[in-house]
Amino acid sequence: MSQRHDVLVVGAGFAGLSAVASLLDRGMDVVVLEAAARVGGRVESAVFNDGTRVDTGAQFVCDDMENVIALLARYGKTLVHTPMAGESVVQPPGRDDDEAYARSRALRLQLRGLNPADPALAGLTVADWLAAQSVSPDTALAFRSTVEGLWCRPIGELPLWYLVSNDRRITNRQTEIEYFVGETIHSLAEDMAAALGSRLRTGHPVTRIATGPDGVEASAAGASIFARQAIVAVPPVMASRIAYEPGLPPKLSAALGAWRSGTVIKALVRYRRPFWRDEGLSGLVAWRDPVGLFSCDVSRDGPGATLVVFIAGPLAQSWRQGPEAQLRETILEKLAAALGAEAGNAVDLIVRDWTDDLWCGGGYGDTIFDMQARDAEDILRAGFGPIRFACAELSPSFPCYVEGAIVAGRAAVEAMSCRQ
Ligand SMILES: Cc1cc2nc3c(=O)[nH]c(=O)nc-3n(C[C@H](O)[C@H](O)[C@H](O)COP(=O)(O)OP(=O)(O)OC[C@H]3O[C@@H](n4cnc5c(N)ncnc54)[C@H](O)[C@@H]3O)c2cc1C
């Protein structure tokens, strides 16, 4: 009979890594099974030809995200202020962009002010709600671009109650792009994993979890792993692909099936110098058309400069249809139209298409698409027998952010301890 661990953690993203850290603090014997060959999940990095390392997944944090800020400090990471001096640009320029964006921000506050439990919201999508607001077409486009840019799904598919509930938990007063991490936020995940030694097994996708009187038995890469309890720290869509034996209760199955992965492509564009600053521009560009496109400056002090570009929601789905060379050309063309012809002279360009990612799904977070699934998050948080679910999506604060993943991972351990 193989060793029986106290807890099996499935997934070494920030939810899994934070859960493991809490379990180890409590003196538990833990094993972590990670499907990919690396840790971090939706936090990942790559290196430009000139040796500069950049985050190709999550990148930004702000002071309001206290758990991730504390972890970064504990591991000695450097917070770099996102360069924002100068004018931001709206594409294409409208007659009164400041007014349209101010109205769009006001719309978001209005939406947050709704009560997600209000029965009047039943059956409405975010698109239905937007159509009922008396706002200019430019304001409506700016709002749609913000929502599809952040939630990575078409607004016609997002239940209104879900967006209200989700957005009310994103409580930052500072801009969420206040800082990025000099060494990359991915290096934090690597540092946290380094302490795990042989407790961490990468390249071990869990395909089946069987529960019995003694706990759980997981199947991964031809091995069986036994533990008294399990924390499934993967996004809901990925958790729904694991076979559970005996089958999950129907309510839990329905709760896992209520989610859809998002679609996002992240591009990092390297230049010799931050040429946009010559014209007094910040490098921040918000596109109303196409909807779901955004860029900003993530240059560090020293030689070279970097712009990050996000292509989110239906736009990512559309732009990924063609060859990658065309996608790269389109990105540079859009930047040149917004910031000047020099934007076409990139010295390096990293494109990371997260859409349909084998182990993470696609967007910043999975979103609920089932209009009836109002209790899906509570059902998943409650878990089932010896199994708990933890991922950024289920966090009571900052869902679908690294901060939320940390909170959710720790909360799953708390819930598990209460059960013992
Ligand atoms: C392009 C992009 C940009 C983002 N930008 C930001 C940002 O600037 N700031 C921010 O705070 N957040 C950002 N996010 C969101 C943030 O990355 C996520 O919310 C957070 O990292 C999710 O952590 P998690 O642990 O819940 O899930 P994940 O990171 O998805 O981790 C789950 C892990 O489980 C593994 N796994 C899946 N299935 C299995 C299986 N069957 N068996 C074993 N292992 C499995 C996966 O490989 C993965 O490692 C961004 C995300 C993306 C994609």
Side-chain angles (χ1 to χ4, degrees), residues 22-70:
S22 295
L23 290 163
L24 293 177
D25 283 349
R26 288 160 200 242
M28 308 277 254
D29 165 35
V30 188
V31 61
V32 189
L33 300 179
E34 165 56 50
R38 59 167 183 87
V39 299
R42 284 169 271 179
V43 175
E44 185 200 68
S45 57
V47 181
F48 281 125
N49 292 331
D50 66 6
T52 309
R53 190 177 181 194
V54 281
D55 278 303
T56 47
Q59 184 161 23
F60 298 103
V61 295
C62 65
D63 275 329
D64 299 300
M65 300 173 174
E66 54 188 33
N67 293 285
V68 67
I69 293 287

Side-chain angles (χ1 to χ4, degrees), residues 10 31 152 232 412:
V10 182
V31 61
C152 301
V232 179

